[in-house]
Amino acid sequence: MATLSIYLPTDAAQALMATLTKIAMKRNKDDERTLDQCRADTLASLVLQSAGVTFSASQAPAIPALVHAVVSVETLLSLGHEPGHLDGYGPICAEQARQIAHAEGSRWRFLLTSSDGTPVDISPRTYTPNAATKRLVRLKHDTCTFPACSMPAERCDLDHGLAFHKGGLTTVQNLGPVCRKHHNLKSQGEWKLNRIGDLVLWTSKTGHTYATEPTRYVQAA
């Protein structure tokens, strides 16, 4: 076995990862490969088969990548140079943010934030309420809410703070991204989760509590 590392601009890397994930998740139910193994096989298939080299790994149809970037209106209009935020990566320079926003086929959604940068609401005009809720939840916390976990929200479960069967609502206020590992630990009773507004509190069996604050986006001066 060998490791192949690719050093790319952040937007290209995120687009590549999103595309590989979407293709890999279309594997058959009886496929015993992990998602990471399917991503690796998919990448090899796409590259080698495009050069006419036969590769045995199954290949699903290509799906256009979806990249989420948050950027201020001032930066978009070249009236300011505040950095943007690339979902799953972090801060990107103003020029990169503008290139993503103005790329052919890009679609804009208006995100309303409070004065401290906390997401408050997002335009649902082209999405059903369910999709708009998911999007806002992942914008409020762009990684797993477990302390120090950096798993991108897009690859996490949207977990109910108060369990659904106990009356928990499927709302922005009760949902949060939690990676499968920490979701399982919560389900097994190793950790308890509580919320105070947008603050997510994780309490261990020893009684120690750790707080995860919502994502703060750069504000125009």
Side-chain angles (χ1 to χ4, degrees):
M1 303 299 290
T3 297
L4 175 66
S5 179
I6 306 175
Y7 189 71
L8 295 171
T10 54
D11 53 339
Q14 285 302 114
L16 176 60
M17 187 64 172
T19 301
L20 289 174
T21 299
K22 287 189 176 183
I23 296 175
M25 289 182 70
K26 284 186 170 291
R27 65 190 187 278
N28 296 328
K29 292 182 179 180
D30 57 353
D31 192 330
E32 297 182 353
R33 293 176 297 169
T34 66
L35 184 56
D36 278 338
Q37 289 171 335
C38 285
R39 288 193 189 105
D41 289 341
T42 298
L43 179 60
S45 293
L46 291 172
V47 175
L48 295 177
Q49 290 182 10
S50 69
V53 180
T54 302
F55 188 74
S56 60
S58 59
Q59 179 183 350
I63 300 173
L66 178 62
V67 175
H68 295 153
V70 178
V71 57
S72 72
V73 171
E74 288 85 354
T75 297
L76 279 179
L77 301 179
S78 297
L79 300 176
H81 299 286
E82 291 77 19
H85 182 95
L86 184 63
D87 191 24
Y89 175 79
I92 55 175
C93 72
E95 185 57 34
Q96 284 180 307
R98 281 192 285 266
Q99 288 176 357
I100 294 172
H102 293 291
E104 183 178 355
S106 291
R107 291 183 294 172
W108 295 9
R109 299 287 183 275
F110 290 102
L111 170 67
L112 177 66
T113 68
S114 61
S115 59
D116 65 358
T118 302
V120 174
D121 198 8
I122 189 169
S123 170
R125 279 175 288 183
T126 59
Y127 285 80
T128 63
N130 251 358
T133 297
K134 290 178 182 178
R135 190 179 295 275
L136 182 54
V137 169
R138 288 172 173 147
L139 284 168
K140 278 184 174 290
H141 292 276
D142 64 349
T143 62
C144 172
T145 59
F146 189 85
C149 181
S150 59
M151 179 67 73
E154 197 66 30
R155 300 179 216 157
C156 292
D157 301 328
L158 290 186
D159 178 56
H160 287 73
L162 176 61
F164 185 81
H165 67 275
K166 293 183 179 180
L169 301 177
T170 307
T171 62
V172 172
Q173 292 72 29
N174 192 45
L175 292 174
V178 181
C179 70
R180 185 56 55 87
K181 172 185 175 181
H182 294 122
H183 195 169
N184 288 338
L185 288 176
K186 172 178 173 284
S187 299
Q188 294 163 8
E190 297 295 325
W191 291 84
K192 292 183 179 179
L193 187 153
N194 293 293
R195 299 179 70 115
I196 300 178
D198 289 324
L199 197 67
V200 180
L201 304 175
W202 287 85
T203 303
S204 68
K205 295 180 74 172
T206 61
H208 294 83
T209 298
Y210 305 88
T212 302
E213 295 188 347
T215 301
R216 307 290 184 190
Y217 296 100
V218 177
Q219 297 299 295

